[in-house]
Amino acid sequence: MTKVDESENNGIAKKTSGEQPYKLSYSVGVAENKNSKFRKTMEDVHTYVENFASRLDWGYFGVFDGHAGNQASKWCGSHLHSLLQKKIMENERRDVREVLDESFTYADEHINSSLGGNSGCTAAVGILRWEVPDSVPSELIELDQHKRMLYTANVGDTRIVLCRNGHSVRLTYDHKASDTLEMQRVEAAGGLIMRSRVNGMLAVTRSLGDKFFDSLVVGNPFTTSVEITTTDQFLIIACDGLWDVVEDQEACDMIKKIGDANEAAKTLVRMALEKGTTDNVTVMVVVFDSNP
């Protein structure tokens, strides 16, 4: 069995300070491994924020898989959640998917214009929050009228999978050069797909950064929104170090009987290593309380 080395941590966990007189409706677990057999450096970064945007029981979850250096992934791990919070607070009624698209695009432009080097990163982000229908007057809102909504965005092949009623539901889209639609977009922009890579070099067609590829590799994310109900058990956010060797349903089956989020994340990292992944591995598991 491969031993998981958890001594190296590039994650940024933003937690609220002080004691909480309540129990969050979710728990977060993270595990990562540099995979030193194949990789000399760790370029993954993760971030999660409890009570995101200073709102009770909201959550922010992000995994960023860097390449050509870790400047882009570190910037996203340190700053993307603050950028999203600011934009959401400017207008809480605005569709969060629009905010995610705008923020990812800004991050892409900022990394390309302000950071040294040519690094880039794939990204998968989830925002969990409580909402009430617009049709309900605020003075008439009852607790059971609140909906728990999850908004997601991704570029590249970092993936978010929801386990619903024991079945995997992929909430992201793998932006790879082998994908027909992405291949057509890159070629229409003047690029070439060779050996399933953009201009023969980059396997992903969307990322944050990668200024060397200019308009061929873009930062516009795939976004989704879904209501989280009692049929939803947990969420897996992981880089391709997991998904290259583990199928969505296989991952859900492996941890569906593990109630502890940290242990679930560690289990998936071990699984990826045992199956021979050659990449850095980062796995974040968000377990939902069935009775929030």
Side-chain angles (χ1 to χ4, degrees):
M1 180 178 290
T2 305
K3 182 180 179 181
V4 179
D5 177 10
E6 295 166 345
S7 61
E8 185 168 351
N9 184 1
N10 284 304
I12 303 168
K14 302 287 186 178
K15 295 187 178 182
T16 52
S17 59
E19 294 184 0
Q20 299 177 1
Y22 58 88
K23 182 177 180 294
L24 291 171
S25 68
Y26 61 88
S27 59
V28 184
V30 186
E32 59 181 11
N33 190 284
K34 183 176 70 174
N35 199 3
S36 56
K37 181 179 179 180
F38 297 98
R39 299 284 169 158
K40 293 182 179 180
T41 60
M42 180 61 162
E43 296 180 326
D44 293 351
V45 174
H46 66 268
T47 309
Y48 69 91
V49 185
E50 297 176 350
N51 296 322
F52 177 57
S54 299
R55 294 295 189 271
L56 189 64
D57 208 39
W58 285 24
Y60 168 92
F61 321 102
V63 172
F64 310 98
D65 182 355
H67 47 260
N70 61 9
Q71 297 96 327
S73 57
K74 281 190 172 182
W75 188 91
C76 289
S78 298
H79 300 289
L80 187 57
H81 59 282
S82 298
L83 177 63
L84 282 162
Q85 175 177 317
K86 179 180 178 182
K87 290 184 178 296
I88 290 173
M89 291 299 95
E90 287 173 353
N91 181 3
E92 288 191 47
R93 295 286 186 177
R94 190 179 176 195
D95 190 328
V96 177
R97 290 168 296 182
E98 292 182 4
V99 177
L100 284 162
D101 183 79
E102 188 176 291
S103 299
F104 269 54
T105 302
Y106 173 86
D108 183 41
E109 295 171 351
H110 178 81
I111 291 168
N112 286 337
S113 63
S114 301
L115 297 189
N118 296 302
S119 71
C121 69
T122 66
V125 166
I127 294 176
L128 185 69
R129 72 176 195 172
W130 290 94
E131 297 181 358
V132 293
D134 292 336
S135 58
V136 179
S138 59
E139 65 272 11
L140 299 178
I141 293 174
E142 299 291 340
L143 187 61
D144 60 3
Q145 291 176 303
H146 287 74
K147 296 189 302 180
R148 187 161 49 163
M149 296 296 298
L150 175 70
Y151 296 90
T152 71
N154 89 290
V155 288
D157 51 10
T158 298
R159 191 181 298 171
I160 301 178
V161 173
L162 174 68
C163 185
R164 169 169 284 178
N165 254 338
H167 301 288
S168 64
V169 180
R170 190 182 300 185
L171 300 180
T172 49
Y173 189 92
D174 285 354
H175 300 117
K176 294 187 175 183
S178 56
D179 179 80
T180 301
L181 293 177
E182 286 297 286
M183 184 184 304
Q184 293 172 350
R185 184 189 60 76
V186 170
E187 291 176 344
L192 293 174
I193 302 297
M194 297 181 289
R195 302 186 302 277
S196 295
R197 291 176 177 268
V198 179
N199 287 353
M201 292 181 281
L202 189 63
V204 294
T205 56
R206 301 194 187 207
S207 69
L208 303 180
D210 287 308
K211 60 186 173 186
F212 180 78
F213 293 92
D214 195 26
S215 60
L216 303 181
V217 177
V218 297
N220 301 93
F222 177 83
T223 59
T224 66
S225 67
V226 60
E227 182 178 0
I228 299 300
T229 69
T230 54
T231 65
D232 299 310
Q233 287 91 32
F234 55 83
L235 197 67
I236 303 171
I237 309 175
C239 64
D240 64 328
L242 174 70
W243 306 119
D244 282 348
V245 295
V246 179
E247 297 296 328
D248 297 9
Q249 187 61 48
E250 186 181 11
C252 290
D253 289 342
M254 177 59 66
I255 65 171
K256 63 184 179 183
K257 294 183 179 179
I258 302 176
D260 181 81
N262 276 304
E263 187 55 41
K266 292 176 185 177
T267 298
L268 290 177
V269 169
R270 285 194 295 266
M271 185 182 191
L273 295 172
E274 289 166 3
K275 282 180 168 285
T277 186
T278 59
D279 205 349
N280 300 148
V281 189
T282 297
V283 177
M284 182 180 294
V285 175
V286 182
V287 177
F288 300 117
D289 185 347
S290 60
N291 295 294

